Amino acid sequence: MHQELNVSCDLFLDLAWLPRPPAEFKDMCRRLAGSASGAEIQHLASFALDANQAARLARVIRALQGQNRLLSPLTPVKLGILANGTIDLAINALAVAAARHGILLECVTADYGMFIQEALDPASRMNAARCDVVLLALDYRAFPFARSPGNAAAAAANIEEAISLLNRIRDGISASGAICILQTLAPPVEALFGSLDRSLPGTPRHFIDGFNRRLLAGLEGTTDILLDVAAIAETVGLANWHSPSHWNLAKLPFADGCVPFYADHVARLLAAMRGKARRCLVLDLDNTLWGGVVGDDSLHGIMLAEGDAVGEAYRSVQCLALALRERGIVLAVSSKNTDEVARRVFREHPEMLIREEQIAVFQANWDDKATNIKAIAGALSLGLESMVLLDDNPAERGLVRQILPQVAVPELPDDPALFARTLAAAGYFEATIFSDEDRRRAAYYEGNAHRVELQERAGDIDSYLASLEMEITFRPFDRTGRSRIAQLINKSNQFNLTTRRYTEAEVAAIENDPSCTTLQVRLADRFGDNGMISVVICRTLPEATWEIDTWLMSCRVLGRRAEQMVLREILRQACEAGIRTLVGIYRPTDRNAMVRDHYAKLGFTQVAAEEGSTSRWMLDTATEIGSAPMRINRALPADLHT
């Protein structure tokens, strides 16, 4: 039993879902120095590195940053860190974890013990750095908790004092324009009254529970992000998290063995904030969703029954997959199997939890997994960087990692009982917000796969588009759509003309800015609602001109001429406002090459090419634009209906 506990803890602390680094890792780092691409850095960061290896790779990253090189596809983020303990030992791990999740991290830290002064002084190094995000890495020792066992009034006042201190720090940082990441507190291991501590006011456990509840309540309606350190510590065990000797020796807020796991959680949040969380789970079948090989063992010979230890292990994978689908993650299948044999399990096996209609794309054939995953990504209009493959076969995992390094492929242990736990531990599907739109995302992509099938049968494109029975809805920004608008602005990379990023608070300001005209666009068809598919911000300039500050669209509606309908609506509103000229801007990135000719295709004339290949395009608002076969619905802001 003791060994089983160690294995379970090692899964998290060793980042066991990551493959082990190759023997030549040191030489690989040396070869990267001075000439690496972001993709090569991300590849090396995808291994489970020890402290020395992480330090080596972090030095390579910092050296390349010092050359001011663009390291695509990594997205730059400047992270400030304010801590009451010593956080410097985590910087290397943070840089590597961030690269693993697609982020090029620059860290700004404060001197030890200066976290309050750095936050409150507008001229401090932290505030002057204009960080994108500031992590308030504060543990329970940062707050003035004074034991008062049994004194409820004193305990409540003490919690409010601690929250007030946190809010002062938070307000000081927010004034610089940075988003704050706020941590819940992990309680100390040592108890005063045993089990009574949680319910008795004035004890450490009661203080921290109350503080965490107040912290969560205070996040509502803000753009700040939660890092649930209490849950992270509970996952590995409080006794493993808190190290008295490490605190006494170096004021480390948690044991050094927990640093990689903590850093990975921070990096997941940063990636989710920048739209880099994964969206599709691709499932192998034999010995991944069920025990055995259905082609050999037959429909009723596979292990999937409740009450059977092996069968229940595989059912737990299915339970997790369905739970992910309910929160909007798309499910797909890639299996080396005969299609009809594989589908029979989903259709007929009485113990099968996942049904065929819950799989957006079903690829059961004898092609290699990499080919199938590319086909799945194409059918869903998703990038390969959105995909996660769950496969028990190490040879298949290695093949996909080699051919499609953008795809996340977790290592799996020998025991299938740990498959689901390993997938969940990897944090591929981290979220910072959750909306109704997110909940329905799986249905959107499932509908999109059906549309692809229809297009293949329909023949000519006009007949196909007419058969979709589309309806497009235009509405200005409003409070109801605000969080989804901000989410799209921050995660859309491919069909995004300028890739400007705005926080939810900035979206609210734009919403109320009379110099801005905004559109949130939805598209529905016979297969269902596609949700919000486009966001547009136009800014009024002198001489009766609108500049398109932001224009992005969901790639899942490409080929349906929705961009023409959006432009027709922009021109219609521009003419009503007395605008004569529309100016479009294209700012190239490593991800948005697909829209390089967007304005040219819509009839704009290029008027300037600026530094960095940014181009400006102009269109007379009296221009006639072709339409698509869809009904148009123009709606008031949802706020006016409530």
Side-chain angles (χ1 to χ4, degrees), residues 185-207:
L185 304 183
V189 176
E190 297 75 19
L192 289 178
F193 295 88
S195 294
L196 187 61
D197 277 43
R198 192 178 290 277
S199 62
L200 184 66
T203 63
R205 173 74 71 168
H206 191 272
F207 276 136

Side-chain angles (χ1 to χ4, degrees), residues 548-567:
I548 303 175
D549 171 277
T550 295
W551 187 353
L552 59 89
M553 291 187 65
S554 169
C555 292
R556 66 175 181 267
V557 298
L558 291 180
R560 293 206 243 165
R561 301 177 185 163
E563 60 268 36
Q564 294 178 3
M565 300 301 290
V566 172
L567 179 57

Side-chain angles (χ1 to χ4, degrees), residues 564-582:
Q564 294 178 3
M565 300 301 290
V566 172
L567 179 57
R568 281 166 62 93
E569 182 64 17
I570 294 171
L571 292 175
R572 186 191 69 82
Q573 293 195 26
C575 288
E576 288 185 356
I579 298 299
R580 296 191 299 272
T581 304
L582 193 63

